[in-house]
Amino acid sequence: MNKKETYIVQGFTCANCASQFERNVNELHNVEHAKVHFSSGKIDVEGSATIEQLEKAGAFEGLKIRKEAEGVPESRPFWKSKRNIPVMISAILVIIGWVLLFNIGEGHPFTVIIFLSAMVIGGYQLFIQGVKNLVRLQFDMKTLMTIAIIGAVLIGELGEGALVVILFAISEALERYSMDQARRSIRSLMTKVPKEAIVLGNDEEQKKPIAEVQIGEHLIIRPGEKIPLDGKVVKGTSAVNEAPITGESIPITKLKDDHVYAGTLNEEGVLEVVVMKLANDSTLAKIIHLVEDAQEERAPAQQFVDRFAKYYTPAIILLAFLVMTVPPLFFAAAWSEWVYLGLATLVVGCPCALVISTPVAIVTAIGNSAKNGVLIKGGMYLEQMGSVNAIAFDKTGTLTRGMPEVTDVIPTESMSKEELLRYGLAVERYSTHPIAEAIVRKTNQEGTTLLNWQVERSEAYTGKGMAVEINGAFVYIGSPNFVEESYPDLLNGYWLDKIDELQKQGKTVVLAGSEEKLFGVFALRDEVRKGTDGVLQKLRHYGVKEIAMLTGDQTYTAQAIGEKAGVTTVHSELLPEQKVNVIMTLKKQGFTPAMVGDGINDAPALAASDVGVAMGTVGTDVALETADIALMGDRLEKLPYLMGLSKKTMAVIKQNITFSLALKAFALLLVPLGMLTLWIAIFADIGATLLVTLNSMRLMKMKDQFEQKH
């Protein structure tokens, strides 16, 4: 049976290149079958091929291969990448060449040498692939560029040919760097799980790599440690932060027989857990596969220019050939005159303006967005954002602030609000639990002090509450369940109804009291971000018809938050794969959905949506990396700006394509009249390039209008 190995591939820039690499690998004599996953940057190989053989198969694109088990190589700055050094050298030579052209002329040996050197250094891979494509009659952008550059050289326009080479090389280098950075996201997911687990056997603890841990073995997980594998609690009680899996902001109490998941954080007690799933089958591992599968289904949309080039390239070549040969052969015209016209036709057909019509606009827009605090990972995401008409928001940390805040402080009749807050500060001031921290923040806001109280003997009831001795008296703050179990006589019908009412408002309730009496109630809720309603109204102005909220929270909380935020629909108690289902349902209903989230649990939905948008600074690394766009300042207000920028960019791109093609069409109409000169051809091409560039620069002036108005 052939060995199957997965490799990480560095250097993919386009799906066509990935397909070519897959064909090359499958042609190797010692490869049974190979499958490339372009979006995740991997290749599965059945056989005995070496890395050297694989890299040789990908030499046309300069691909670098390494085994998946070796991990992801460190990211290197764009300017330090060896592959980009020729591009930078070529760019410098082009600048020098144009300086020489204006000073000593294009025909001077120094100028010729400089321009030819720039072409060879920056475009040798382009030429090799372009010639191969031409031999195979495969007409893509590389073929088009190769023909155009050769045509420019043949009629002595070395400067223009060199400029085309450098523009194309820089575009590919930036695209390659962007893709490599984006792919690191999927692979970084596994860093959320510890590499080792503490296994309990014969009353002795032993560290093992998680890959060696078997189902049925018992693990010890101490406070502050991440849970390494999916399992079930057999001993102990603790609060576990499951935000990486469910997105729930408040830790979940885990008791005997409760399930725990790899990648979640044990916050308080010691747990003994029996392993229920192997490392490759854990919930987090499934999330990783969901991300990879969803991204694999999202093949990049073919740009208009690439599709047009399939017809444009052979048409220009054929037209130039006919211009060169038909008049001399059939009408006894002068060969020199019509060969010249044919070469001029090639210059007109040089796709310089057409090629940069899209990237110049997109790069300008992306530069503008970066200044406005929005990171866009590629042009296709910027383009797609303009057609989005449905947006799904994660709740915690996206529509809400991501941390609970005290909304209600309700004392009993025998207690003042100030005194209840003082008890809250005394009990919770040294706890790191999110609820405790929220109560302490509230006391600080109210200026609460402990006076001369003597606070001693703090005691934590894991998953239930906290207690201390205040001036010798026992005082606790705990969950309603804790009070009902420990002091059932303290809760009468009034307080039970009050607790139920607060919980139906989507609030978490804790009670303060002693063994003899109840002091009062604290209610907390993760509040909606300020200005969210205005953001959603602006999005509707840009054509968003469906605004959904997706959360792992319980229904009461979700409905309350959704109503306050102003979303169209609310989906609660969702696991990661169920969030993906909501996205897929929106697609089936005819929507073009975007997903906005900030957690690992959002990663599959971010990948499955047409555009994934991550909340930047509070977002987990995986959400930030998996998403196509990141709001770096954690500000939802940037979404309307992003949609406006996308729509404006697409309008500019259409204008650019129209400009470049219209000027070329005008020049080509002069061919039958014998009036097309080299100068007109050059003017048409350079003029179109200049118009395209200046038109694209208008995007730099686009401001965040929403921010200005608010």
Side-chain angles (χ1 to χ4, degrees):
M1 183 176 179
N2 284 319
K3 178 183 177 184
K4 184 176 181 180
E5 188 82 61
T6 299
Y7 298 89
I8 294 172
V9 184
Q10 289 180 277
F12 280 146
T13 56
C14 65
N16 288 336
C17 299
S19 298
Q20 180 63 51
F21 177 56
E22 182 178 285
R23 287 194 295 271
N24 291 351
V25 174
N26 274 309
E27 289 173 2
L28 295 174
H29 71 278
N30 51 354
V31 170
E32 183 68 27
H33 179 70
K35 173 65 177 175
V36 167
H37 305 279
F38 170 66
S39 296
S40 54
K42 293 181 181 179
I43 182 171
D44 298 326
V45 180
E46 290 183 24
S48 55
T50 64
I51 288 179
E52 290 74 18
Q53 289 175 313
L54 295 176
E55 289 190 341
K56 187 176 180 181
F60 70 95
E61 186 73 354
L63 303 178
K64 296 297 180 184
I65 313 295
R66 65 190 293 147
K67 290 184 178 180
E68 186 180 36
E70 295 177 10
V72 185
E74 286 188 18
S75 177
R76 304 188 66 185
F78 173 81
W79 57 89
K80 288 186 178 181
S81 173
K82 290 182 179 179
R83 187 170 181 178
N84 295 328
I85 292 175
V87 179
M88 291 182 279
I89 294 173
S90 182
I92 294 170
L93 289 175
V94 168
I95 294 171
I96 295 172
W98 278 95
V99 171
L100 292 174
L101 185 149
F102 287 115
N103 286 277
I104 62 177
E106 189 170 16
H108 194 282
F110 285 158
T111 309
V112 171
I113 291 171
I114 290 294
F115 278 141
L116 288 177
S117 299
M119 290 184 195
V120 172
I121 293 172
Y124 68 94
Q125 287 185 332
L126 164 66
F127 297 141
I128 292 171
Q129 191 60 34
V131 171
K132 286 182 179 179
N133 289 348
L134 194 56
V135 170
R136 298 169 182 163
L137 298 180
Q138 295 176 352
F139 297 108
D140 60 9
M141 286 304 295
K142 288 189 176 181
T143 314
L144 187 67
M145 296 298 293
T146 301
I147 294 291
I149 293 163
I150 292 173
V153 171
L154 288 175
I155 61 172
E157 286 300 319
L158 300 178
E160 185 177 352
L163 193 59
V164 170
V165 168
I166 192 60
L167 285 172
F168 188 73
I170 289 174
S171 174
E172 278 212 317
L174 290 172
E175 196 174 341
R176 183 167 53 249
Y177 176 78
S178 176
M179 285 299 297
D180 283 344
Q181 287 297 101
R183 290 186 184 108
R184 300 177 72 85
S185 61
I186 305 173
R187 303 161 192 158
S188 69
L189 272 167
M190 288 308 295
T191 62
K192 303 298 177 183
V193 180
K195 294 182 179 180
E196 294 182 322
I198 300 175
V199 180
L200 184 63
N202 298 324
D203 296 324
E204 292 182 357
E205 296 180 5
Q206 176 187 2
K207 279 191 176 181
K208 276 188 181 182
I210 62 169
E212 296 179 8
V213 178
Q214 301 299 312
I215 293 175
E217 292 194 89
H218 286 228
L219 309 179
I220 296 295
I221 299 118
R222 295 184 172 86
E225 294 180 347
K226 287 184 178 179
I227 296 170
L229 295 157
D230 285 10
K232 186 169 68 174
V233 177
V234 293
K235 188 184 295 183
T237 303
S238 182
V240 175
N241 186 338
E242 292 189 340
I245 302 296
T246 67
E248 173 59 59
S249 58
I250 297 177
I252 305 297
T253 301
K254 296 294 181 179
L255 307 171
K256 185 179 179 182
D257 294 331
D258 284 344
H259 288 273
V260 293
Y261 306 100
T264 57
L265 180 66
N266 180 26
E267 294 196 342
E268 295 179 356
V270 177
L271 293 177
E272 182 178 333
V273 172
V274 60
V275 176
M276 303 292 289
K277 293 180 180 178
L278 298 176
N280 290 335
D281 296 325
S282 70
T283 301
L284 190 58
K286 289 178 180 177
I287 291 176
I288 295 169
H289 294 315
L290 280 170
V291 173
E292 291 187 331
D293 291 345
Q295 294 216 6
E296 197 60 39
E297 290 172 6
R298 293 170 55 199
Q302 286 290 320
Q303 292 289 337
F304 166 78
V305 173
D306 288 328
R307 293 196 301 268
F308 186 76
K310 291 181 181 179
Y311 306 99
Y312 178 82
T313 307
I316 288 294
I317 295 170
L318 179 61
L319 179 61
F321 177 76
L322 293 175
V323 168
M324 290 180 186
T325 58
V326 170
L329 288 176
F330 296 98
F331 302 101
W335 279 95
S336 58
E337 178 184 351
W338 288 95
V339 167
Y340 178 86
L341 280 170
L343 292 177
T345 302
L346 278 176
V347 174
V348 170
C350 176
C352 191
L354 190 60
V355 165
I356 68 171
S357 61
T358 299
V360 139
I362 287 176
V363 168
T364 305
I366 289 176
N368 184 352
S369 69
K371 289 182 179 179
N372 282 280
V374 179
L375 175 63
I376 304 172
K377 291 187 177 179
M380 73 173 181
Y381 310 123
L382 176 64
E383 177 181 352
Q384 193 72 12
M385 195 67 201
S387 59
V388 164
N389 54 13
I391 299 182
F393 288 93
D394 173 51
K395 179 185 77 69
T396 306
T398 303
L399 286 178
T400 65
R401 297 170 59 189
M403 62 176 69
E405 293 290 342
V406 174
T407 57
D408 301 88
V409 180
I410 308 173
T412 58
E413 291 183 358
S414 61
M415 180 84 49
S416 68
K417 178 180 178 181
E418 182 181 359
E419 195 172 5
L420 177 58
L421 286 168
R422 190 170 292 128
Y423 278 116
L425 176 60
V427 175
E428 304 285 28
R429 59 180 175 160
Y430 295 123
S431 174
T432 58
H433 194 284
I435 290 178
E437 291 176 341
I439 292 174
V440 172
R441 280 197 302 273
K442 181 66 174 178
T443 63
N444 291 336
Q445 292 167 5
E446 298 289 337
T448 304
T449 60
L450 291 180
L451 302 177
N452 295 321
W453 285 8
Q454 292 184 355
V455 181
E456 301 172 324
R457 285 184 54 200
S458 64
E459 185 175 354
Y461 299 96
T462 302
K464 297 180 180 179
M466 188 87 177
V468 297
E469 268 191 18
I470 301 177
N471 297 332
F474 175 82
V475 176
Y476 59 81
I477 292 181
S479 67
N481 288 340
F482 168 74
V483 177
E484 281 189 283
E485 292 172 3
S486 305
Y487 314 105
D489 296 336
L490 298 185
L491 292 177
N492 56 30
Y494 171 81
W495 286 108
L496 289 173
D497 290 342
K498 176 61 69 175
I499 292 168
D500 185 59
E501 176 188 338
L502 291 168
Q503 288 178 334
K504 286 183 177 179
Q505 294 172 13
K507 298 175 182 177
T508 299
V509 178
V510 292
L511 287 70
S514 66
E515 295 173 317
E516 291 81 21
K517 65 176 183 177
L518 188 68
F519 296 164
V521 165
F522 293 95
L524 305 91
R525 186 166 65 189
D526 191 4
E527 291 293 345
V528 174
R529 288 174 181 266
K530 185 178 179 181
T532 297
D533 55 344
V535 171
L536 300 190
Q537 287 175 16
K538 192 70 174 179
L539 291 174
R540 291 186 174 96
H541 170 75
Y542 278 120
V544 178
K545 299 177 182 178
E546 174 71 13
I547 300 177
M549 187 181 81
L550 317 184
T551 179
D553 263 344
Q554 54 103 347
T555 303
Y556 282 146
T557 300
Q559 291 291 347
I561 294 292
E563 183 177 346
K564 189 170 182 180
V567 301
T568 310
T569 55
V570 174
H571 303 270
S572 57
E573 300 180 10
L574 299 178
L575 292 172
E577 59 267 28
Q578 293 171 318
K579 291 187 177 184
V580 173
N581 292 340
V582 174
I583 296 295
M584 301 311 293
T585 299
L586 287 172
K587 287 186 176 183
K588 290 177 182 177
Q589 292 172 348
F591 289 105
T592 301
M595 172 70 191
V596 184
D598 76 317
I600 295 179
N601 58 296
D602 301 321
L606 286 168
S609 61
D610 286 286
V611 184
V613 182
M615 300 296 291
T617 55
V618 301
T620 61
D621 289 340
V622 65
L624 191 59
E625 294 295 335
T626 303
D628 309 314
I629 298 171
L631 308 183
M632 301 305 292
D634 256 359
R635 299 177 61 189
L636 283 177
E637 301 95 301
K638 297 297 179 182
L639 275 176
Y641 155 77
L642 175 62
M643 293 198 73
L645 180 65
S646 174
K647 291 178 182 295
K648 182 71 173 178
T649 302
M650 293 316 300
V652 166
I653 287 172
K654 290 175 182 177
Q655 292 165 4
N656 286 348
I657 293 172
T658 302
F659 288 155
S660 59
L661 292 180
L663 278 174
K664 291 181 186 298
F666 170 76
L668 290 174
L669 287 175
L670 299 177
V671 173
L673 303 176
M675 297 172 59
L676 179 62
T677 66
L678 183 59
W679 291 107
I680 293 176
I682 293 171
F683 176 79
D685 190 62
I686 294 178
T689 301
L690 185 61
L691 279 172
V692 162
T693 303
L694 292 176
N695 190 45
S696 299
M697 293 303 291
R698 294 191 301 119
L699 291 169
M700 288 301 295
K701 297 180 180 179
M702 183 169 174
K703 304 295 183 183
D704 187 348
Q705 296 176 353
F706 183 86
E707 188 175 64
Q708 291 176 335
K709 292 178 181 178
H710 290 73

